Amino acid sequence: MKLLEGKTALVTGASRGIGRGIAVTLAQHGASVAFTYLSSPDKAKTLEEELSGCGIKAKAYKSDAADFKQAEQLINDIIAEFGVLDIVVNNAGITRDALLMRMSEQQFDEVLKTNLKSVFNITKSCIKPMLRQRQGSIINISSVVGVKGNAGQANYAASKAGIIGFTKSVALELGSRNIRCNAIAPGFIETEMTGVLDEKTVQGWRDAIPLKRGGSPEDVANAVVFLSSGLSSYITGQVVHVDGGMLT
Ligand code: NAP
């Protein structure tokens, strides 16, 4: 029997990058997967087919994680379709980088809404079904930047630090109901998000990492599988650093 067989997972923002890697890895471990996308319908369709090829139930939903009403509707639709929701991975995120002196209010608000308010939207909406089921695992994707900061990313760092405080609070509120809530803080993961950086900057990141390489979406996905499964049944309110030793 596979580790996550019989479980149903939601992954937000899975059309590309880390979210895609998480969705595929969860499916490979036997979980049925509902996932969201916003602006990449073709990539979402391809992923839905790939996941179904793993022999599990898979469905793509177009849903803006930053919109509370859409998040509520999404969870209702998933419960109607899959019957249960055991694992929620809040992964959707964006960057709008600028030094604070040049950062617009819009750049700040967009990042906070997509990266942090989305975690509130989805988590609040999934609590009721998880309480009914008397179990659940919520995993929020933060960032090394939320712990140590990064010049040019004050908005992003604030959103990712906010996720850590939110995670710990939810863990305290829901631990007695057998609902666990943990965060993962990836370091430098090679996706389209980091693909916009010039080669010199990328090399600088790689040089600064004790393991001397950027991470892959699968490196993050493997930690998600652990936190989703019974292997981590006594772990809640924690931040798992998947960063090649960057914070050491
Ligand atoms: P990415 O390649 O840019 O992919 C972002 C994903 O989020 C896409 O699937 C996108 O969907 C989706 N998305 C964006 N806004 C959304 C919204 N409002 N509602 C629903 N989905 C939305 O990014 P990534 O590198 O995989 O990053 C994934 C997560 O890991 C983010 O939270 C990021 O902050 C975090 N992270 C990344 C790194 C890194 O080095 N890459 C490091 C630490 C943390 P569409 O394409 O359909 O719009």
Side-chain angles (χ1 to χ4, degrees):
M1 181 155 162
K2 291 185 175 173
L3 190 59
L4 299 176
E5 216 167 290
K7 301 272 186 200
T8 296
L10 162 64
V11 186
T12 66
S15 49
R16 303 180 271 121
I18 294 173
R20 186 181 210 285
I22 292 170
V24 170
T25 309
L26 288 172
Q28 286 168 346
H29 284 276
S32 292
V33 178
F35 71 90
T36 68
Y37 65 96
L38 188 60
S39 59
S40 310
D42 295 345
K43 288 179 179 170
K45 183 92 201 112
T46 308
L47 176 62
E48 193 181 71
E49 287 164 8
E50 189 178 329
L51 295 175
S52 301
C54 296
I56 51 93
K57 182 167 172 167
K59 194 165 165 61
Y61 294 86
K62 180 167 188 210
S63 181
D64 183 350
D67 183 305
F68 185 73
K69 288 235 166 317
Q70 289 188 41
E72 271 188 325
Q73 186 61 49
L74 171 73
I75 301 299
N76 289 339
D77 290 349
I78 291 171
I79 294 295
E81 181 73 33
F82 289 79
V84 288
L85 184 55
D86 306 287
I87 301 157
V88 167
V89 186
N90 283 307
N91 166 77
I94 58 168
T95 52
R96 296 285 183 270
D97 296 353
L99 292 171
L100 185 58
M101 254 182 5
R102 295 200 199 103
M103 188 178 287
S104 66
E105 185 183 4
Q106 189 187 354
Q107 283 174 315
F108 188 85
D109 287 346
E110 272 179 21
V111 168
L112 267 289
K113 211 172 161 199
T114 303
N115 295 8
L116 180 59
K117 171 122 187 308
S118 65
V119 178
F120 164 81
N121 294 342
I122 299 279
T123 306
K124 184 164 166 65
S125 305
C126 77
I127 278 173
K128 269 192 198 146
M130 284 186 172
L131 284 171
R132 275 199 300 273
Q133 294 161 205
R134 295 190 171 79
Q135 56 93 25
S137 177
I138 300 162
I139 298 152
N140 301 322
I141 306 300
S142 176
S143 168
V144 66
V145 168
V147 181
K148 70 193 281 291
N150 193 26
Q153 289 196 309
N155 50 358
Y156 184 80
S159 72
K160 295 298 181 179
I163 286 178
I164 293 174
F166 182 86
T167 300
K168 289 179 180 287
S169 305
V170 171
L172 290 172
E173 286 186 29
L174 297 177
S176 64
R177 314 301 282 271
N178 198 29
I179 298 170
R180 299 183 295 115
C181 186
N182 291 288
I184 294 177
F188 183 81
I189 309 296
E190 304 205 6
T191 66
E192 283 180 37
M193 185 178 272
T194 47
V196 296
L197 302 172
D198 62 81
E199 187 51 34
K200 196 166 158 242
T201 308
V202 171
Q203 199 50 52
W205 277 103
R206 289 194 190 116
D207 290 344
I209 297 168
L211 289 180
K212 297 296 169 208
R213 65 170 177 89
S216 67
E218 291 68 34
D219 289 320
V220 179
N222 289 333
V224 169
V225 168
F226 172 67
L227 291 173
S228 302
S229 78
L231 293 175
S232 60
S233 59
Y234 203 50
I235 299 177
T236 194
Q238 303 306 307
V239 182
V240 175
H241 296 274
V242 181
D243 63 4
M246 209 186 255
L247 266 188
T248 309

